[in-house]
């Protein structure tokens, strides 16, 4: 595959437009005092739709946010153990646990990509293998994935197993350069990855997150705030599958060019919509923030109360000790601020067991859940014939 063939002028224009929208979103978000806490919330929204690309299931986002948060500070990032021990009202039904673990692993993998794909970063074969392992087994994986596949795929062409290391090395070299705009580069990487199919698992989320690396490295995700690109991908699953399958077939050079352009246009469209969705969400969160601060509370700047109000916008369930660590305040100051928020009706205290209490914000939980439900309904309408 020739990675360096240029896209059409229309496709390049779509890339530049989507990238400009992402930059504007980053600039707007950077001005928000609560933006630093929204990173994992946006990750969870993206994860809900990343799972919907493969499974016909709508996971509730709030439990994912809480599980991801609690696993990070209490269970050494072991999401499986955290899910099994969750005793709150946010516990997921047992039939959703496998999909929830996939979503949490996706969030871990995306957070890992955002942490390493900085200016000067260079992807290697080990980077791609590690990414796939995190998606399969989480950040605490023990290399159970055993690298690239060594056998042919059933019913799917893919690359010859012995050729995979060479082809992936070439793709890593392309990932490390700057041959197109960031989104154009990402589209080429994703399309090539789906043609190679380097892993037995065939989890295409690996190719998606690998393609995100140059976008992070080249500054499109400002402040590591993720736009939920997977929303659009979850809408057009059949079309996406058609494009993926076509990338693995023996095609003429002309038909290959057509599918490559379609794949690129599809990615540009999803990215633009992802920015629209992220802006919609931040606007709703900002309105809730304003309503809380208009209740007559005494909120000194940078106080525990000030910081907690912003933290609860993103994480609807918090233990006092963990919240104190998040906002950089003492336990006593944080505990007193919690009491003020309970008195104001913004949060409520819930006894989990005899050892731990948490504070729950029903308003932010409802906002996040309602927002994702509205996206699901938008997707259903868009998928109807004639839409």
């Amino acid at each position: 595959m020739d990675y360096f063939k240029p896209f059409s002028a229309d496709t390049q224009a779509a890339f530049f437009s989507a990238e400009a929208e992402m930059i504007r979103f980053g600039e707007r978000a950077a001005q928000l005092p609560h933006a630093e806490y929204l990173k994992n919330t946006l990750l969870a929204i993206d994860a809900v739709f990343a799972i919907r690309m493969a499974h016909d299931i709508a996971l509730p986002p709030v439990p994912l946010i809480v599980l991801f948060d609690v696993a990070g500070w209490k269970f050494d990032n072991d999401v499986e153990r955290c899910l099994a021990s969750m005793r709150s009202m946010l516990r997921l039904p047992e039939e959703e646990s496998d999909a929830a673990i996939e979503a949490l692993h996706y969030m871990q993998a995306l957070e890992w990509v955002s942490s390493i794909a900085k200016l000067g970063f260079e992807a290697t074969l080990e980077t791609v293998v590690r990414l796939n392992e995190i998606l399969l087994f989480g950040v605490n994986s023990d290399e159970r994935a055993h690298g690239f596949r060594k056998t042919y795929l059933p019913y799917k062409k893919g690359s010859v197993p012995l050729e995979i290391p060479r082809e992936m090395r070439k793709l890593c070299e392309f990932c490390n350069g700057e041959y197109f705009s960031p989104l154009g580069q990402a589209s080429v990487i994703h399309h090539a990855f789906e043609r190679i199919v380097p892993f037995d698992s065939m989890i295409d989320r690996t190719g998606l997150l690998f393609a995100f690396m140059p976008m992070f490295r080249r500054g499109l995700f400002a402040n590591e705030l993720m736009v939920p690109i997977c929303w659009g991908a979850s809408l057009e699953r059949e079309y996406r599958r058609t494009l993926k399958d076509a990338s693995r077939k023996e095609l003429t050079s002309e038909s290959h060019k057509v599918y490559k352009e379609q794949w690129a246009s599809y990615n540009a469209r999803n990215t633009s919509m992802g920015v629209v969705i992220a802006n919609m969400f931040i606007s709703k969160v900002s309105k809730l923030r304003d309503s809380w601060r208009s209740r007559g509370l005494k909120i000194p700047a940078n106080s525990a109360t000030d910081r907690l109000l912003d933290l609860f916008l993103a994480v609807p369930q918090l233990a006092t000790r963990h919240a104190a660590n998040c906002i950089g305040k003492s336990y006593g100051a944080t505990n007193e601020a919690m009491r003020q928020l309970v008195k104001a009706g913004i949060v409520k205290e819930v006894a989990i067991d005899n050892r731990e209490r948490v504070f729950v914000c029903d308003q932010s939980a409802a906002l996040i859940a309602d927002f994702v439900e509205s996206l699901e309904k938008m997707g259903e309408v868009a998928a109807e014939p004639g839409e």
Side-chain angles (χ1 to χ4, degrees):
M1 176 179 177
D2 186 351
Y3 299 148
F4 303 99
K5 285 185 177 179
F7 292 103
S8 68
D10 287 345
T11 299
Q12 292 183 63
F15 285 153
F16 293 143
S17 175
E19 289 163 356
E21 290 165 3
M22 292 183 76
I23 292 169
R24 283 194 292 269
F25 167 72
E27 290 173 345
R28 177 193 177 196
Q31 305 303 314
L32 301 174
H34 51 291
E36 64 178 294
Y37 299 124
L38 293 176
K39 176 185 171 185
N40 290 344
T41 312
L42 288 168
L43 277 183
I45 293 172
D46 192 56
V48 167
F49 295 102
I51 298 306
R52 287 196 73 177
M53 287 193 298
H55 307 294
D56 191 16
I57 185 171
L59 289 170
V62 173
L64 293 181
I65 296 167
V66 175
L67 284 163
F68 189 77
D69 180 64
V70 173
W73 67 271
K74 194 173 183 181
F75 292 93
D76 190 30
N77 293 311
D78 188 335
V79 296
E80 289 90 342
R81 188 156 60 97
C82 182
L83 181 60
S85 68
M86 185 59 72
R87 297 183 294 270
S88 76
M89 72 291 295
L90 293 170
R91 187 169 185 172
L92 286 160
E94 187 173 346
E95 62 270 16
E96 295 180 352
S97 60
D98 288 345
I101 288 172
E102 283 190 47
L104 291 164
H105 288 169
Y106 175 86
M107 292 172 69
Q108 289 182 332
L110 188 46
E111 183 178 58
W112 179 76
V113 168
S114 70
S115 70
I116 65 168
K118 308 292 188 182
L119 184 65
F121 164 78
E122 291 192 354
T124 64
L125 297 185
E126 289 73 22
T127 305
V128 183
V129 170
R130 175 62 179 154
L131 174 59
N132 189 59
E133 289 172 351
I134 295 173
L135 282 164
L136 287 174
F137 306 114
V139 292
N140 297 328
S141 63
D142 56 3
E143 300 183 358
R144 285 172 283 180
H146 304 301
F148 299 126
R149 63 181 169 86
K150 296 178 175 59
T151 59
Y152 287 89
L153 294 170
Y155 313 115
K156 301 289 184 181
K157 189 172 181 62
S159 292
V160 174
L162 290 176
E163 292 295 314
I164 290 175
R166 181 186 64 80
E167 294 195 37
M168 287 304 301
R169 191 174 290 109
K170 180 180 177 183
L171 189 56
C172 286
E173 291 173 357
F174 178 83
C175 178
N176 297 331
E178 295 186 6
Y179 306 102
F180 294 98
S181 69
L183 186 51
Q185 187 177 4
S187 186
V188 172
I189 292 169
H190 198 180
H191 186 255
F193 192 97
E194 293 303 331
R195 182 188 61 79
I196 298 168
V197 197
F199 298 105
D200 289 316
S201 62
M202 294 183 66
I203 295 179
D204 66 353
R205 292 188 289 275
T206 305
L208 176 68
L209 297 193
F210 181 43
F212 283 161
M213 285 186 177
M215 296 170 71
F216 277 106
R217 178 171 56 83
R218 298 175 66 181
L220 281 189
F221 295 119
N223 303 309
E224 300 179 358
L225 289 169
M226 182 69 200
V227 298
I229 295 173
C230 288
W231 179 79
S234 72
L235 296 186
E236 299 182 274
R237 287 184 295 179
E238 293 304 318
Y239 179 63
R240 188 172 189 271
R241 188 174 294 115
T242 297
L243 293 178
K244 283 171 53 183
D245 290 346
S247 70
R248 299 169 191 156
K249 294 177 181 177
E250 292 292 344
L251 303 170
T252 65
S253 59
E254 189 59 34
S255 59
H256 179 77
K257 180 180 178 181
V258 169
Y259 279 116
K260 180 184 174 183
E261 288 284 342
Q262 289 179 347
W263 182 262
S265 297
Y266 166 82
N267 287 335
R269 183 169 67 250
N270 288 344
T271 302
S272 292
M273 184 54 70
V275 178
V276 171
I277 290 168
N279 275 316
M280 288 167 54
F281 178 70
I282 282 184
S283 294
K284 287 180 177 291
V285 169
S286 296
K287 287 180 181 178
L288 179 60
R289 183 180 189 271
D290 292 343
S291 73
W292 287 350
R293 290 166 184 269
S294 64
R295 296 190 181 189
L297 282 170
K298 292 183 179 180
I299 312 174
N302 203 37
S303 65
T305 304
D306 184 30
R307 304 299 287 169
L308 272 182
L309 283 171
D310 288 342
L311 181 58
F312 270 115
L313 288 169
V315 186
Q317 178 176 306
L318 288 161
T320 304
R321 194 170 302 280
H322 173 52
N325 183 62
C326 290
I327 65 175
K329 301 295 181 181
S330 69
Y331 179 87
T334 304
N335 195 49
E336 179 57 33
M338 288 289 194
R339 293 178 186 275
Q340 291 185 43
L341 297 185
V342 170
K343 187 176 180 179
I346 293 173
V347 303
K348 63 183 180 183
E349 184 177 348
V350 177
I352 296 298
D353 54 27
N354 294 328
R355 296 167 296 170
E356 184 176 36
R357 296 171 305 153
V358 299
F359 294 85
V360 176
C361 181
D362 288 335
Q363 294 175 71
S364 63
L367 183 152
I368 296 166
D370 290 347
F371 182 77
V372 171
E373 184 178 352
S374 71
L375 293 181
E376 291 167 358
K377 290 178 179 177
M378 286 169 57
E380 291 170 1
V381 170
E384 292 177 358
E387 295 294 332

